[in-house]
Amino acid sequence: MINLVIVGSIGLDDIKTPFGKISSTLGGSAVYSALSASFFEKPGVVGIVGRDMPQEELKALKNIDLSGISKGEKTFRWEGKYEYDMNEAKTLKTELNCLSNFNPSLPNSYKNAKYLLLANIDPDSQIKALNQLKNEPFVILDSMNFWIKNKKEKLVSAIKKSDLVLLNDGEARQLFNTPNLIKAGRKLLELGPQYAVIKKGEHGALLFSYDSFFSAPGYPLEELKDPTGAGDSFAGGLIGYLAKHNKTDEKTIRQGIIFGSAIASFCAEALSTKALLKIKISDIKERYEVFQKIREF
Ligand code: AMP
């Protein structure tokens, strides 16, 4: 039985940063977040790939259940580029291919899961997946500028059904048309979720609830090579940690945010998924302790 389900994109990415480039590499929100969650709990991934997805790419995904991945014609492709300010990716190309009209179908062994990550994907697919779960799971939702621009109404309906919503700073400003992140955090909560998290790239993350506020620092990273997937890794680490401890109280969420931030910092140190495939839980715990020291005063 799978207790943590992750729905998201699985794709082939072309990435260019000032420090390197890589083409047709395995990426997508479900891939990064499942790799990250798998340090804590075996996730079941729901997504779709085309015939052009090399089989050996998916074999690299250890401690992840892949039985929820269906087959389509052509794999989703994304091309992105970063300038010296690596906080924001410039999307050069998005080819949805088999992601457009993706109708997720969850295996029976996923339907009683208590934790669900609706990673960045078409909000229609997020809602269709959510509706198949039987026991009111704890739902974390992530999204991006592409869906805010193209499917805002559907995205807002999906946010209303989630317990914790994650956006980065630029996306939160875009969704509510405000430069003020505190206002944007409050507006996210007004839509219904119990918690809202605004990620600020290398500058950390903010957690909002109705009666509290938490600010997580960014990890002082010296080797920043490719932030692709850092946001997804953050989300995967957070939900993996909650699933492992089977708790969703604010203290556990704060700890999960720090674990998510630690994994995201590793993700950004190497191109694509390379760092996530290499690190161990002991590396992540070491960084968690650095975060604890940074916060002392
Ligand atoms: P992040 O850097 O965490 O925001 O996520 C990067 C990943 O998002 C890449 O691996 C892309 O394949 C994936 N991605 C880019 N655009 C989209 C989109 N419109 N829908 C779903 N996934 C996307």
Side-chain angles (χ1 to χ4, degrees):
M1 283 298 179
I2 290 291
N3 194 35
L4 166 58
V5 172
I6 296 180
V7 185
S9 59
I10 306 173
L12 292 167
D13 290 346
D14 292 333
I15 305 163
K16 207 165 156 190
T17 86
F19 310 105
K21 61 178 189 174
I22 190 163
S23 14
S24 288
T25 185
L26 179 65
S29 59
V31 167
Y32 284 101
S33 48
L35 278 170
S36 178
S38 70
F39 289 107
F40 303 106
E41 169 103 6
K42 182 175 186 169
V45 170
V46 177
I48 185 163
V49 296
R51 295 171 203 272
D52 50 341
M53 172 62 78
Q55 281 310 301
E56 62 277 10
E57 290 274 16
L58 294 177
K59 283 199 189 117
L61 305 177
K62 303 281 190 292
N63 194 32
I64 296 172
D65 189 279
L66 304 176
S67 58
I69 299 180
S70 47
K71 277 267 160 66
E73 262 318 300
K74 199 165 178 236
T75 300
F76 165 68
R77 280 182 173 266
W78 177 75
E79 188 182 339
K81 182 180 156 189
Y82 300 84
E83 309 286 358
Y84 267 95
D85 174 2
M86 302 250 269
N87 269 323
E88 209 185 333
K90 287 201 174 43
T91 292
L92 300 178
K93 203 159 53 180
T94 302
E95 286 178 17
L96 290 177
N97 299 327
C98 62
L99 264 198
S100 43
N101 305 316
F102 168 45
N103 214 340
S105 164
L106 271 62
N108 284 334
S109 59
Y110 287 22
K111 290 185 178 163
N112 290 307
K114 284 165 74 181
Y115 294 86
L116 172 65
L117 173 60
L118 299 172
N120 177 28
I121 196 170
D122 187 331
D124 268 310
S125 308
Q126 291 180 319
I127 292 173
K128 282 179 185 159
L130 169 60
N131 288 340
Q132 292 171 50
L133 280 151
K134 292 183 178 157
N135 294 331
E136 292 216 2
F138 185 82
V139 181
I140 297 187
L141 177 142
D142 191 12
S143 195
M144 77 179 288
N145 49 13
F146 183 90
W147 302 112
I148 296 173
K149 184 166 166 243
N150 297 309
K151 287 212 172 175
K152 187 167 170 177
E153 253 178 58
K154 255 283 143 58
L155 174 61
V156 169
S157 327
I159 291 174
K160 286 181 178 167
K161 293 174 192 286
S162 63
D163 298 289
L164 187 155
V165 59
L166 291 169
L167 286 179
N168 73 27
D169 42 7
E171 293 155 359
R173 290 187 178 108
Q174 182 186 358
L175 183 61
F176 296 112
N177 206 10
T178 171
N180 185 314
L181 290 183
I182 306 299
K183 269 194 190 147
R186 294 279 159 235
K187 282 187 181 286
L188 280 170
L189 293 179
E190 279 166 19
L191 291 176
Q194 203 184 339
Y195 300 103
V197 174
I198 298 185
K199 301 168 282 176
K200 299 189 297 164
E202 61 184 322
H203 305 300
L206 306 174
L207 168 70
F208 299 84
S209 78
Y210 271 103
D211 50 13
S212 68
F213 176 77
F214 171 63
S215 168
Y219 185 82
L221 201 61
E222 290 190 25
E223 193 66 44
L224 177 62
K225 215 166 185 185
D226 173 18
T228 305
D232 308 314
S233 308
F234 177 97
L238 168 60
I239 200 154
Y241 186 80
L242 299 183
K244 178 184 160 136
H245 294 277
N246 195 22
K247 282 186 186 166
T248 58
D249 60 284
E250 190 173 328
K251 186 167 184 211
T252 315
I253 289 176
R254 289 184 183 207
Q255 292 165 348
I257 284 175
I258 300 298
F259 272 109
S261 306
I263 303 175
S265 72
F266 280 111
C267 177
E269 276 181 330
L271 280 171
S272 167
T273 56
K274 284 184 199 302
L276 293 185
L277 292 171
K278 217 171 68 185
I279 54 169
K280 299 192 176 55
I281 186 71
S282 51
D283 301 315
I284 298 164
K285 284 184 175 158
E286 240 173 64
R287 274 199 186 173
Y288 184 87
E289 282 164 21
V290 175
F291 271 105
Q292 282 176 321
K293 290 207 183 91
I294 294 174
R295 291 227 66 86
E296 277 170 16
F297 65 90

